[in-house]
Structures are given as C-alpha cells and as structure tokens.
Amino acid sequence: DFTLEETTKVLDLADRIAESPEVYSHVADGKKIATLFYEPSTRTRLSFESAMLSLGGQTLGFSSAAQSSASKGETVADTARVVSCYADIIAMRHPKEGAPLQASIYSRIPVYFVNQEEVGHAHPTQTLIDMMTIRQRKGKLNNLTIGFCGDLKFGRTVHSLVSSLTRFSDNKFYFISPEELRIPDYLRDDVLNPSNSTYEEVSSLED
C-alpha cells in the first residue's frame, strides 16, 4: 500500500537507525508493545520485542493461548479491549483468520497483524528487510537482475518482494524452480505482465 516515496522514507529511516542506533535508543521511552501470540512463535515475537527494547520501550504479552485468558474462554475482542489499556501498540498472531481484525475493531490502540492469512500472498515486513539489504549491497533498487530460487509457488516472501521490485525501473527477474513449484499465475497476470517486467522461468541454476 506504500507509495514509492513512502517506501523510500522507511528504508532511509531504517538505514539511519542501523548506522546510529544510539541516536534512536530512547525514541520509544515510556511506550509499551503487547505481543499477543495465540500460537507458538520464536523469531517473530522476539523480533518485535527486541526492536521495542532497542528503541527504549518496554514489552509485555504472552507466547501461547494457554498462557492467556483464552484458555478460560475470554474472547479476542475482550482481550484486545483490556490490553489496549496497558500498552501503546499490539502485535498479534492468531490461528484463526479474522481474529486480529476483530481485535483491531475493539482495541483503543493500533494492532499489527502477524497472521499469514491476514496478508494473503504478501509478507510486507520481510519485503522491507530484503529491499533494505539489496539497497545496502547494490546501492540501488532499479536496473538489477534478480534471481529467485526454490519454492516460488507458496513462498510469500518471493511474491511480496517481486511485487515491490516491479515498481522500480529496468529490473529483470529469473525464477528458478522445479515445474511444480513455479510462480503462481496471479503473479504473472496481476504483477509481472501489467508492469511490463522482463522475466524468465527456468528449472535449474545452470539455465
């Protein structure tokens, strides 16, 4: 949903934080993030908590439904309503589609959806990290030849990154995968072809 200008601003800010973390170590002083994870997660939950701590904020929350009042029958709406009195933002993962959206309706604070189902074919946070890495290594996000290798049919990270990179000029894509794991039709029909992107699909790295 970001414009190119908004995307660039986020990447520029990320670069500044990476280069001078001490400058940003107190920007979230007095702020709290609530990580409400109704299903197990290690990397994702800790990445949110680590980021908040690095910015000077604090964290609270739970890492499974069994550790929450959901085990006693409390609804997502009720949990969100109560937790929004304790924190400034919620990061939430839930096994049921629509649950985080329900939480956002009843919460008084922003709710960030970590659910895979809520974002369909996309993985926006990973895409921003990938774009940041490419720009740091190559100095640009246009006029690049980029190879994607592996599971290209179900890999949300690939779909999301390709969708973003097609908005930059003169990028060429190689999609390397076995026949049964090639990119889905929607990526060709809705993203690559409308943007007049140059791309090739091959089955081996040698090709």
Side-chain angles (χ1 to χ4, degrees):
D1 295 331
F2 282 6
T3 65
L4 281 182
E5 181 183 8
E6 288 169 333
T7 299
T8 300
K9 284 182 177 179
V10 170
L11 296 175
D12 288 344
L13 175 58
D15 282 338
R16 292 196 298 273
I17 294 173
E19 291 167 4
S20 305
E22 68 283 353
V23 175
Y24 296 87
S25 61
H26 294 286
V27 296
D29 281 357
K31 301 295 184 181
K32 301 183 189 76
I33 185 171
T35 51
L36 310 185
F37 279 62
Y38 287 82
E39 57 183 356
S41 170
T42 301
R43 290 180 297 274
T44 304
R45 182 175 60 86
L46 293 182
S47 70
F48 278 93
E49 294 181 357
S50 175
M52 192 59 160
L53 292 170
S54 296
L55 297 174
Q58 297 175 299
T59 70
L60 64 155
F62 51 82
S63 58
S64 72
Q67 295 178 336
S68 75
S69 292
S71 62
K72 299 187 294 184
E74 183 173 283
T75 66
V76 167
D78 286 339
T79 300
R81 187 185 293 110
V82 171
V83 172
S84 65
C85 298
Y86 305 151
D88 300 285
I89 187 168
I90 291 171
M92 183 179 188
R93 170 173 278 171
H94 197 286
K96 292 184 179 179
E97 184 174 353
L101 179 60
Q102 183 79 358
S104 71
I105 294 172
Y106 290 93
S107 172
R108 298 183 179 92
I109 59 177
V111 177
Y112 180 84
F113 300 178
V114 186
N115 275 34
Q116 175 176 337
E117 295 82 1
E118 302 297 336
V119 291
H121 298 296
H123 196 318
T125 49
Q126 184 65 51
T127 294
L128 288 168
I129 294 169
D130 291 341
M131 292 171 69
M132 178 183 176
T133 303
I134 293 170
R135 196 173 72 157
Q136 286 178 340
R137 297 293 179 90
K138 306 302 292 185
K140 59 185 179 180
L141 288 168
N142 65 318
N143 196 28
L144 297 170
T145 300
I146 305 159
F148 294 90
C149 182
D151 177 3
L152 309 183
K153 183 176 182 178
F154 300 104
R156 292 182 300 136
T157 54
V158 172
H159 305 168
S160 193
L161 183 55
V162 169
S163 296
S164 289
L165 289 175
T166 56
R167 300 192 299 163
F168 294 86
S169 61
D170 300 319
N171 285 329
K172 180 178 182 179
F173 306 98
Y174 282 97
F175 298 109
I176 310 150
S177 71
E179 182 73 32
E180 59 271 24
L181 293 176
R182 289 196 166 185
I183 58 172
D185 290 340
Y186 98 87
L187 198 61
R188 293 188 202 90
D189 299 339
D190 299 341
V191 177
L192 291 161
N193 293 334
S195 62
N196 295 315
S197 296
T198 301
Y199 67 95
E200 291 186 38
E201 296 182 73
V202 296
S203 59
S204 71
L205 285 168
E206 289 75 19
D207 293 337

